[in-house]
Amino acid sequence: MSVADAIERRLEVRSYTDEPIAPDTKRAVLDAARLAPSGKNTQHWRFVVLDELADLERLGELSTTGAWITDAAFAVVVLTDPEYTYHRLDAGRAITHMQLAAWERELGSCIYTGYDEEGMRSFLGAPDRYAVTAVVGFGHPDEPLEGRKRRRPLDEVAFEGRFGEPFDVD
Ligand SMILES: Cc1cc2nc3c(=O)[nH]c(=O)nc-3n(C[C@H](O)[C@H](O)[C@H](O)COP(=O)(O)O)c2cc1C
């Protein structure tokens, strides 16, 4: 898999088979998060891995936008320290690393951000100073792993020199 291939083709996957995940694969996904860059290399993120069905069901109950997590083989809850203004950006970098590492191993994944944050903190036993920034579900896809992306055209989102000026590489 090339990086360009992953960028062009990877899609979010919210439906998974029951096939178990090899421990090495799970470790590789978490290690990809650990290796992500973070502002000033603070590495303030923490990752809680959940793979028991009862825990995944509890995540689903606490979520407003991620009920599909109960279907996942495992979930990673990403906690970050809001003392750093860029803490959510750091979470995004780590999450992208995990999702690409998973995709390379033919695992599907999806992120969600809607949940009862206090409920999540209490469920996980997380210290108050951490924000619960996102949850990512992983599993063998029960839907196409790749396909056509629905994205705005480049000239709608990229400008040259000043906002609104057409981007022109030539
Ligand atoms: C910051 C962020 C938050 C997201 N939150 C949710 C969410 O709460 N629930 C969900 O099902 N998907 C969520 N997604 C997934 C997006 O809906 C998905 O990335 C987008 O639709 C593009 O999907 P595609 O790459 O499959 O085309 C989130 C994605 C991002 C980047």
Side-chain angles (χ1 to χ4, degrees):
M1 181 201 80
S2 72
V3 175
D5 185 57
I7 289 169
E8 281 168 24
R9 296 162 75 164
R10 196 194 74 84
L11 295 174
E12 303 276 20
V13 174
R14 298 179 179 83
S15 179
Y16 314 95
T17 71
D18 291 337
E19 196 181 331
I21 310 279
D24 278 359
T25 300
K26 199 184 285 181
R27 176 172 287 278
V29 168
L30 270 298
D31 218 31
R34 181 185 70 84
L35 291 168
S38 58
K40 298 183 188 163
N41 204 20
T42 37
Q43 303 169 63
H44 55 90
W45 14 241
R46 297 292 181 268
F47 307 100
V48 180
V49 183
L50 300 158
D51 60 7
E52 297 288 333
L53 181 58
D55 286 341
L56 296 169
E57 285 178 346
R58 184 64 187 137
L59 288 182
E61 286 166 9
L62 288 166
S63 179
T64 51
T65 61
W68 46 264
I69 197 66
T70 55
D71 203 30
F74 71 98
V76 178
V77 183
V78 181
L79 302 115
T80 54
D81 186 342
E83 176 190 335
Y84 303 106
T85 55
Y86 41 79
H87 72 107
R88 292 187 198 281
L89 193 53
D90 288 339
R93 301 293 292 265
I95 290 165
T96 299
H97 268 213
M98 286 194 283
Q99 292 196 279
L100 290 176
W103 193 86
E104 185 177 32
R105 291 162 178 80
E106 302 192 340
L107 289 189
S109 67
C110 188
I111 172 179
Y112 70 82
T113 48
Y115 36 72
D116 164 6
E117 187 168 357
E118 267 317 305
M120 287 284 282
R121 209 179 279 112
S122 150
F123 170 54
L124 298 169
D128 286 347
R129 76 183 180 93
Y130 283 100
V132 181
T133 299
V135 181
V136 195
F138 298 88
H140 291 284
D142 203 14
E143 59 183 270
L145 183 61
E146 54 188 62
R148 204 170 71 81
K149 290 189 184 243
R150 291 178 294 113
R151 298 292 190 268
R152 296 176 191 277
L154 192 59
D155 62 6
E156 200 179 312
V157 298
F159 305 129
E160 179 107 19
R162 294 288 183 277
F163 193 95
E165 293 300 318
F167 172 65
D168 185 3
V169 281
D170 301 327

